[in-house]
Amino acid sequence: MKNSIVVVDDDPIIRMDIREMLEEEGYAVAGEAKNGEEAIELVAALKPDLVIMDVKMPVMNGIKASRIIRSLHDTETSVLLLTAYSQKELVQDARSAGVAAYLVKPVSEEDLIPAVEIALSQKERIDSLKKDLEQLKQSIEERKRIEKAKGIVMKTFALDEEEAYRKMRAASMAESIPLIKLADGILKDGPQRWFGS
């Protein structure tokens, strides 16, 4: 099975048609909803890769629901909107709500599947960028801690920057631990525990 998808439309026949088209292509339809409120609840519970959602629905429309779904911090769900209209205003609203793509009804399989692929590839790209950003943040954070520990070593042993760094690298190799672990140890226990007095 491919990515998990939630289908949202107030018309059960349209939901059934979309479900069949998706399942024929090997996608897993994780759930269905008939309005925006139900869609938000389902996304929060299931964390699907994609929501295919109608714009005009009772209780809460698709654009408002998209805004809320895109603002949920614990999910990276992509949204594909379905609409009977292709007015400029709607396109602007959809874009500002963070929608990945939209399709004008009636939806055919020839239109749906490529739109689903595009929406999912955007999600993958965003996921990858977020992962890279997290790694970069972690790397910067580690660098700061290493620099702080190096400052302590410089001060404690009256060394210049390069000597302190060499001393830390030698201790890290001798202890068979990553430099960041050594730095954290120096910050926690002081340098004497790692280098003697």
Side-chain angles (χ1 to χ4, degrees):
M1 280 281 192
K2 289 187 191 173
N3 308 70
S4 70
I5 300 174
V6 165
V7 178
V8 187
D9 198 301
D10 54 330
D11 183 334
I13 289 159
I14 290 174
R15 287 200 311 265
M16 188 181 72
D17 285 347
I18 290 171
R19 175 187 273 275
E20 282 174 7
M21 286 187 243
L22 291 167
E23 286 176 345
E24 272 175 32
E25 287 297 316
Y27 290 104
V29 176
E32 293 181 21
K34 61 182 177 294
N35 61 55
E37 258 180 26
E38 286 183 11
I40 293 163
E41 286 170 21
L42 267 182
V43 168
L46 302 173
K47 298 177 183 27
D49 298 301
L50 178 65
V51 175
I52 298 174
M53 181 160 43
D54 190 19
V55 171
K56 289 226 186 286
M57 294 181 291
V59 187
M60 185 188 290
N61 72 39
I63 289 184
K64 188 171 182 189
S66 298
R67 267 201 181 87
I68 295 168
I69 287 166
R70 297 298 300 133
S71 72
L72 295 174
H73 293 298
D74 60 343
T75 178
E76 292 305 323
T77 300
S78 206
V79 180
L80 169 61
L81 279 184
L82 304 176
T83 177
Y85 321 93
S86 59
Q87 303 125 323
K88 255 187 175 161
E89 197 179 297
L90 177 79
V91 176
Q92 285 302 119
D93 286 349
R95 188 184 294 157
S96 72
V99 170
Y102 86 98
L103 280 175
V104 178
K105 289 176 171 180
V107 176
S108 68
E109 193 166 339
E110 295 78 44
D111 293 333
L112 179 67
I113 302 309
V116 165
E117 292 292 335
I118 287 167
L120 287 171
S121 74
Q122 279 187 344
K123 179 202 178 317
E124 284 165 19
R125 204 172 71 239
I126 289 166
D127 287 351
S128 171
L129 285 171
K130 284 201 168 164
K131 195 175 166 191
D132 291 349
L133 187 62
E134 276 311 306
Q135 286 173 338
L136 188 61
K137 276 184 187 167
Q138 187 182 343
S139 171
I140 289 168
E141 209 38 61
E142 287 179 2
R143 191 78 238 152
K144 282 182 190 170
R145 297 197 319 258
I146 290 169
E147 288 299 315
K148 202 171 176 183
K150 184 171 69 176
I152 292 169
V153 171
M154 286 168 67
K155 196 172 176 184
T156 307
F157 301 104
L159 301 171
D160 68 26
E161 210 171 323
E162 205 172 307
E163 291 169 332
Y165 188 68
R166 271 205 302 271
K167 191 173 183 76
M168 285 172 67
R169 281 214 6 233
S172 135
M173 287 171 11
E175 298 276 341
S176 298
I177 58 169
L179 194 56
I180 184 61
K181 272 223 162 70
L182 176 78
D184 286 342
I186 292 168
L187 294 173
K188 184 174 176 259
D189 307 320
Q192 278 74 14
R193 142 106 173 76
W194 300 94
F195 306 109
S197 48

